[in-house]
Amino acid sequence: MGQYVAPLRDMQFVLHELLHVEDELKQLPKHAEIDAEIINQVLEEGGKFTSEVLFPLNLSGDREGCHHDKTTHTVTTPKGFKDAYQQYVEAGWPALSCDPDFGGQGLPLVLNNSFYEMMNSSNQAWTMYPGLSHGAYECLHEHGTPEQKTLYLPKLVSGEWTGTMCLTEAHCGTDLGMLRSKAEPQADGSYKITGSKIFISAGEHDMSANILHLVLARLPDAPEGSKGISLFLVPKFLPNADGTLGARNPITCGAIEEKMGIHGNSTCQMNLDGATGWIIGAPHKGLNAMFVFMNAARLGVGMQGLGLTEVAYQNALMYAKDRIQMRSLSGPKAPDRPADPIIVHADVRRMLLTAKAYAEGGRAFCSYVALQIDKELNHPDEEVRKDAADQVALLTPVIKAFITDNAWIATSECMQVYGGHGFISEWGMEQYVRDARINMIYEGTNTVQSLDLLGRKVLQDNGAKLRKFGEQVKAFVEDNGTDEAMSEFITPLADLGDKVTKLTMEIGMKAFQNPDEVGAAAVPYLRVVGHLVYAYFFAQMAKIALAKQDSSDTFYKSKLATARFYFARLLPETAMLIRQARSGSANLMALEADLF
Amino acid sequence: MGQYVAPLRDMQFVLHELLHVEDELKQLPKHAEIDAEIINQVLEEGGKFTSEVLFPLNLSGDREGCHHDKTTHTVTTPKGFKDAYQQYVEAGWPALSCDPDFGGQGLPLVLNNSFYEMMNSSNQAWTMYPGLSHGAYECLHEHGTPEQKTLYLPKLVSGEWTGTMCLTEAHCGTDLGMLRSKAEPQADGSYKITGSKIFISAGEHDMSANILHLVLARLPDAPEGSKGISLFLVPKFLPNADGTLGARNPITCGAIEEKMGIHGNSTCQMNLDGATGWIIGAPHKGLNAMFVFMNAARLGVGMQGLGLTEVAYQNALMYAKDRIQMRSLSGPKAPDRPADPIIVHADVRRMLLTAKAYAEGGRAFCSYVALQIDKELNHPDEEVRKDAADQVALLTPVIKAFITDNAWIATSECMQVYGGHGFISEWGMEQYVRDARINMIYEGTNTVQSLDLLGRKVLQDNGAKLRKFGEQVKAFVEDNGTDEAMSEFITPLADLGDKVTKLTMEIGMKAFQNPDEVGAAAVPYLRVVGHLVYAYFFAQMAKIALAKQDSSDTFYKSKLATARFYFARLLPETAMLIRQARSGSANLMALEADLF
């Protein structure tokens, strides 16, 4: 039951009409040859693969889940997962945006990003297996030695091997400074690693020949806390120099978790019993190296939220057109039938449009940031690279938290469109809600993201990065301020821009006196910034749509209506958020813990 | 894992200090003998029963679920459920607030209400079995013939038999006017009923000797639509005149649903194959009679939301005091430990206080409405009965929708406090979120509740019922307007009261022109009214707490801090909601269905 069709038209709109990626990529020597045709072709193929191969395994994967054999420490993934992975590898999808030096196709990340949206719409639990590999690839690509790269990267690029990130231990998740896993240096330059990790997504499975674990552990001489953590590469099977598989390394799965959602992905407790590993990057600098992985993963989690929002929307829309129930308040719309399709009801439309606006806003936002990463990595001008890097740093926590919070709202609204059937498993809607819930937690909870945004990304440089983004918004406001047709978008956008500036200064001042003010404001603050970003993109999209609203392509009418809905119904959340963010820390901190 | 302790102190605060139930009940001849001691004793016993007998079955009941045998059409409930029900019956709990004429204990509903909160905190899925019986009892008590009452009520009161409500069919839930089940009159005054029902909670199970189904169906001469529906009593086993069980009636369970939550409750597809039934109330007036049941059920669903909010809060609080992770932003609070307990963090407190405030606000609100029902039923003065009935009518949809929406928010926040562990089944937090989700759907979706509030309860009498409630609020504002210590509560309460009045008039005017304006405003409107109610009760509670804040009983400090949190952090949602409600229908209705 259910459906998924890749939203190619909207993806093309975002990439070509909104972001002009072809022009942008021309400025990057590495991608100068990429044109719209190639992009559209990849999107189309990606749409086919994901809807035909991955989507049909989503509901069954959820119901079947993974199975752990305690004797052999092996994990069996749901029926069809392994075969789908084989098809994925054979089609060359893992290599899409990877470095040609290691067998990659060298396509831009902005394109890979759209493909990940499709994969996540089709099957988030499945997508996490290759998704983590991609993070491991990026981390090794940036911090690995030439020998490590030569030995491991081609296997990750081809998809022959997959990767994981092993950070969390039972007593520490957010607070990695407390971690206890130990790495003992060996005479041959390797390390013996001992410890126990939990919540390791795709930690053990049957889909690939080998698994490369990126493991955080402490060296014997390590300082306490987060400055004494090193990163190690710990393969499930120790590879021979020619890349063939050698001995089984003692890093094994002790159990898998039963959890609320993403049942198709194995969430493993991993035991390292003197497992052999090699250090990545400098001793005690493991968190630095791991942050490459974590930033990639945070963007990836945002894409998970976006993917679920889109697929939930598509299904709720189908149901709302099909299901008949009650008459429209303004008189029968389908008088020949016993009731009207529920899409005639205002509140059903509110629920659908909430998901539609969050999907389309998220798509524009994620594609924009992915393009900035391409620029950060490949633009010939250092200044441009630096600006792009600043934007990526600023917006990564917003992508992670804002999009996943919105996905929780949107999937729940889409489930509500189904009434009682939404709660029933076979309809598939409640799975989207359950799957969406993890995205607000892992890779740094959304509270951690908000502290990263407000504390590190905004206040630490006195708002410089935020100001840069604000100037972009201001320039757009000024360019369009005299266009009367645009005033319904420009006025609230300009107003919110001003409010964000004032709010940031106010919190910054208060934080000088009391650091708890940052913690007290961070979560609503992040959502305010998220809305500023969405208002900026919806205003731009509305401008394009306004110019083409009389076109025979009705896409633009739909886009314009969605932008209007966003400004009328979703942006007003900022009126609440700003009040919350300004309310200060006393209403949270005054009560003694014992009196709760 | 997990805990539940009945919040006796807060219940006593609400009943005795806020609502003065002892004084109120003295005015009702039926309950004039009830004093605080009896009330507290029942609460204490209820707390023991629910935390010792029901709570330990909650997690296991979720994991085991119900089992349906396709051959025998029987349903087995999770291990321990049947035995717990036996204990419940033996202790006389089903009879608590029932009519002594039929074996009841005749205690007030306001007390039964607190007991239901405890049951729902302990085990919502289990509580639905007796919960539906209570609705069936109320419906039969009001609309049954004397013979029906004599035969059936004592069995429901004792708990020997349970009840269900059979409304929904596959093609109609909200739109009962479309239902197809048929009732053929028989020579002996009974009916043969044929049809198929879905989503029948507790439709079949192994906990009681007999099940009394209240079934909606059409008579042969029935007019089309909702005015042609009659209500029938269809027992699983046809009783003999002496109450012993006779023949098995052909109303059987064809399947049970797999669903997101409340796994311990059997959600049944019921097939009626010429089942024998007896009409309740007048022909074609079945919906009227069923509304007694549905109104009771809607209040019951609100209590489910409240119960889940409370238990999720208790567990998140325990975890937040126990789990150490990171240091407070304002410096170490537990310097002798490797990290601080997470309750030091501002945003963890925000999440906890959200649940605390929604639990305490909901408790005050539900107890108040339950007391109004006692007055509606038993006050000697007709005027008072009428006023109470108006308040109950007005506030029932608010209880159902506002409390269950809040429970969804609160259980999710409490789960978030656990970080990654919140997503893992064995910790129990994700179950509260899954269970909470159904409460927004069944007994009329929350959209249906909001249309009931705005369309029927407010606009249909030109705001008369709402005005009555508003006058109560105004009187409180005037009585306390000069008290400086109260101004932080009185000012925003008065302001919101004015805004609700204006908003209601504005929507009323717009609705004259375009009925879709009601549908477009209803959902945010209901939440605005919900906040007015909570602001009113929190202001009253703050007043009591202010007067006793220096007492050695720290309860009052906690209450005051919770009220302040509510006004600072939750009430500001109205700034968003009012903008949404005022934004009109065009942003929802303009887009053609095909262009979504």
Side-chain angles (χ1 to χ4, degrees), chain A residues 107-172:
Chain A
L107 287 165
L109 282 169
V110 68
L111 186 53
N112 199 46
N113 182 72
S114 297
F115 180 58
Y116 263 81
E117 182 201 315
M118 297 177 192
M119 287 208 288
N120 283 311
S121 283
S122 300
N123 198 326
Q124 174 173 328
W126 185 94
T127 302
M128 291 169 66
Y129 295 99
L132 284 152
S133 302
H134 196 80
Y137 159 86
E138 291 192 16
C139 182
L140 264 178
H141 192 265
E142 185 159 335
H143 290 283
T145 63
E147 295 72 26
Q148 286 172 341
K149 290 188 191 185
T150 307
L151 184 54
Y152 294 104
L153 285 183
K155 300 291 190 183
L156 287 173
V157 170
S158 69
E160 218 175 319
W161 299 354
T162 61
T164 77
M165 53 198 299
C166 298
L167 286 69
T168 304
E169 300 179 2
H171 64 289
C172 66

Side-chain angles (χ1 to χ4, degrees), chain A residues 571-586:
Chain A
L571 190 71
E573 190 190 351
T574 54
M576 167 182 82
L577 295 165
I578 291 171
R579 281 167 174 78
Q580 291 170 331
R582 296 187 66 193
S583 74
S585 66

Side-chain angles (χ1 to χ4, degrees), chain B residues 490-500:
Chain B
I490 292 296
T491 307
L493 173 62
D495 177 56
L496 184 57
D498 291 345
K499 282 178 174 155
V500 169

Side-chain angles (χ1 to χ4, degrees), chain A residues 173 175 325-326 347 447 558 595, chain B residues 173 175 325-326 347 447 558 595:
Chain A
D175 198 352
Q325 206 80 179
M326 308 298 283
D347 197 62
T447 297
S558 177
L595 303 191
Chain B
D175 197 351
Q325 206 80 179
M326 307 298 283
D347 197 63
T447 298
S558 178
L595 303 191

Side-chain angles (χ1 to χ4, degrees), chain B residues 155-231:
Chain B
K155 300 291 190 181
L156 287 172
V157 170
S158 69
E160 217 177 319
W161 298 354
T162 60
T164 76
M165 52 199 298
C166 298
L167 286 68
T168 304
E169 300 180 4
H171 64 288
C172 66
T174 299
D175 197 351
L176 291 171
M178 293 201 287
L179 73 79
R180 294 181 193 141
S181 293
K182 282 189 181 141
E184 293 281 341
Q186 305 297 304
D188 65 355
S190 72
Y191 295 80
K192 290 278 180 222
I193 301 164
T194 303
S196 191
K197 298 283 180 178
I198 64 167
F199 300 164
I200 308 309
S201 297
E204 177 60 43
H205 58 80
D206 55 3
M207 285 162 64
S208 65
N210 200 6
I211 302 174
L212 304 183
H213 300 282
L214 269 56
V215 179
L216 292 181
R218 289 186 183 283
L219 294 170
D221 60 341
E224 285 205 358
S226 59
K227 288 179 180 157
I229 298 171
S230 306
L231 180 62

Side-chain angles (χ1 to χ4, degrees), chain A residues 65-69 72-78 81-83 85-86 88-89 125-134 155-156 159-165 200-213 236-237 245 248 251-256 263-270:
Chain A
C66 292
H67 296 282
H68 178 245
D69 184 318
T72 59
H73 305 298
T74 53
V75 170
T76 312
T77 54
F81 270 41
K82 189 176 173 173
D83 179 58
Y85 188 74
Q86 207 46 49
Y88 171 79
V89 168
W126 185 94
T127 302
M128 291 169 66
Y129 295 99
L132 284 152
S133 302
H134 196 80
K155 300 291 190 183
L156 287 173
E160 218 175 319
W161 299 354
T162 61
T164 77
M165 53 198 299
I200 309 309
S201 297
E204 177 61 42
H205 57 80
D206 55 4
M207 286 162 64
S208 66
N210 200 6
I211 302 173
L212 305 182
H213 300 281
K236 175 178 171 182
F237 290 100
L245 298 183
R248 179 71 167 87
I251 175 167
T252 53
C253 176
I256 59 173
H263 294 159
N265 199 272
S266 58
T267 305
C268 301
Q269 297 176 20
M270 298 301 296

Side-chain angles (χ1 to χ4, degrees), chain A residues 34 67 84 96 123 223 229 253 292 324 347 383 394 405 435 457:
Chain A
I34 309 290
H67 296 282
L96 198 66
N123 198 326
I229 297 172
C253 176
V292 175
I324 59 168
D347 197 62
E383 189 80 11
L394 176 76
D405 279 349
D435 286 356
K457 304 295 172 57

